[in-house]
Amino acid sequence: MKPGSPEEQWREDCAPRRVLELFSTKWTSMVLHTLWARHDGCARSAALHRSLPAISQKMLTQTLREMEHAGIVTRTVHPTVPPAVEYALTPLGTRLVEPIELIYDWARSNSEALDALQPRPTSRRRGGT
Amino acid sequence: MKPGSPEEQWREDCAPRRVLELFSTKWTSMVLHTLWARHDGCARSAALHRSLPAISQKMLTQTLREMEHAGIVTRTVHPTVPPAVEYALTPLGTRLVEPIELIYDWARSNSEALDALQPRPTSRRRGGT
DNA sequence: CTGTATCCGCCGCGATACTG
DNA sequence: CAGTATCGCGGCGGATACAG
């Protein structure tokens, strides 16, 4: 235990926080999982989009850009026409996949227990009767 | 690979999505980590608050409630005066800690690489000059 | 000590339209 | 095909005040 630095580890700019922020956005983990599980770590934008139809073009690009910036994917532009852009997991990103997959495994292993819970009393309606 | 269910696994109400939503809120992972790493899986509200001074009372309660609802912590009210409320990790929650800790480990192992990246070109300012 | 209620700013994210 | 710009809404989350 470090008596002098109880919570200093939670500075906004520390590595853990930076990573957590990645996953605080809606699509990061799904894009990461999809890229890895369904595209073997390398896919074009359109292919990813087909695997994740629910994501908007805007958020797909934005999410991938943040991931690129975090060093977990690379972005390669092939100067063809029409242009083709390929996203590939970096070794760093591949190592990040493992814990993410564990979370998915956890969720699936306990889906019964999770389903037994009420839908979600979260977010109360203001004008609710 | 399941050719017939390309993205049906991403229904809003499936277990993986439900879990991801937990971590899409700002404090869940930090509360989980803190409860486990600094309080041995069991702590009173005030103690947690002391370990995470940056969180507001409101968000601490709200986050813990969502975690309770997800079955990863229990909430025990001791009818004393003043009241004491104790939050404890469930076995389910304890198993969820592992992948979370791996993410922290990943972040710490690669903090150098992460630090080498630009601050964050994310979130562009709208009215920027 | 623990928790709820209210107000409110900020920004994540979707929809749409447009560029190369 | 890939990406950007813009608009608008919903809701996360902080501050504050109050209750048991």
Side-chain angles (χ1 to χ4, degrees):
Chain A
M1 197 73 77
K2 309 164 216 153
S5 59
E7 69 286 336
E8 262 52 50
Q9 58 182 306
W10 294 121
R11 295 190 329 279
E12 289 286 344
D13 61 330
C14 67
R17 285 291 291 264
R18 302 255 303 274
V19 174
L20 291 182
E21 271 175 47
L22 275 179
F23 295 102
S24 72
T25 62
K26 184 175 182 178
W27 296 102
T28 304
S29 52
M30 281 181 277
V31 168
L32 185 59
H33 169 84
T34 301
L35 185 55
W36 178 78
R38 293 180 54 83
H39 298 275
D40 210 37
C42 187
R44 291 180 47 177
S45 182
L48 271 174
H49 212 339
R50 252 172 274 122
S51 296
L52 278 150
I55 195 174
S56 66
Q57 163 71 45
K58 174 189 165 185
M59 287 314 297
L60 178 59
T61 299
Q62 185 174 310
T63 301
L64 285 165
R65 283 297 221 280
E66 288 169 10
M67 290 167 71
E68 178 195 12
H69 188 240
I72 70 185
V73 297
T74 57
R75 178 174 177 269
T76 308
V77 180
H78 299 267
T80 58
V81 44
V85 179
E86 204 163 68
Y87 292 94
L89 277 178
T90 63
L92 203 62
T94 303
R95 286 197 294 277
L96 183 55
V97 165
E98 300 168 16
I100 298 300
E101 291 303 312
L102 285 180
I103 293 179
Y104 281 89
D105 291 343
W106 181 91
R108 279 190 272 269
S109 300
N110 303 290
S111 59
E112 298 176 17
L114 296 175
D115 286 344
L117 305 167
Q118 292 83 26
R120 57 183 114 152
T122 324
S123 70
R124 309 294 172 84
R125 293 302 154 204
R126 297 184 180 178
T129 47
Chain B
M1 200 73 76
K2 308 163 218 156
S5 58
E7 69 287 334
E8 263 51 51
Q9 57 182 308
W10 294 120
R11 295 189 331 278
E12 288 286 345
D13 61 331
C14 67
R17 286 291 291 265
R18 301 255 302 275
V19 175
L20 291 181
E21 271 175 49
L22 275 179
F23 295 101
S24 71
T25 62
K26 183 174 182 178
W27 296 102
T28 304
S29 51
M30 281 181 278
V31 169
L32 185 59
H33 169 84
T34 301
L35 185 55
W36 178 79
R38 293 180 53 83
H39 297 275
D40 210 38
C42 187
R44 292 182 47 177
S45 184
L48 271 173
H49 211 342
R50 250 172 276 122
S51 295
L52 276 140
I55 194 174
S56 65
Q57 164 70 45
K58 173 189 167 186
M59 289 313 298
L60 178 59
T61 300
Q62 185 175 310
T63 302
L64 284 165
R65 282 297 220 280
E66 288 168 11
M67 291 167 70
E68 177 195 13
H69 188 239
I72 69 186
V73 297
T74 56
R75 179 173 176 268
T76 308
V77 180
H78 299 266
T80 58
V81 43
V85 179
E86 204 163 66
Y87 292 94
L89 278 177
T90 63
L92 203 63
T94 303
R95 287 197 293 278
L96 183 56
V97 165
E98 300 167 15
I100 297 300
E101 291 303 312
L102 285 179
I103 292 179
Y104 280 89
D105 290 343
W106 180 92
R108 278 190 273 268
S109 300
N110 303 288
S111 60
E112 297 176 17
L114 295 175
D115 285 344
L117 305 166
Q118 292 82 26
R120 57 185 113 153
T122 324
S123 72
R124 309 294 173 80
R125 292 301 152 205
R126 296 182 182 178
T129 48

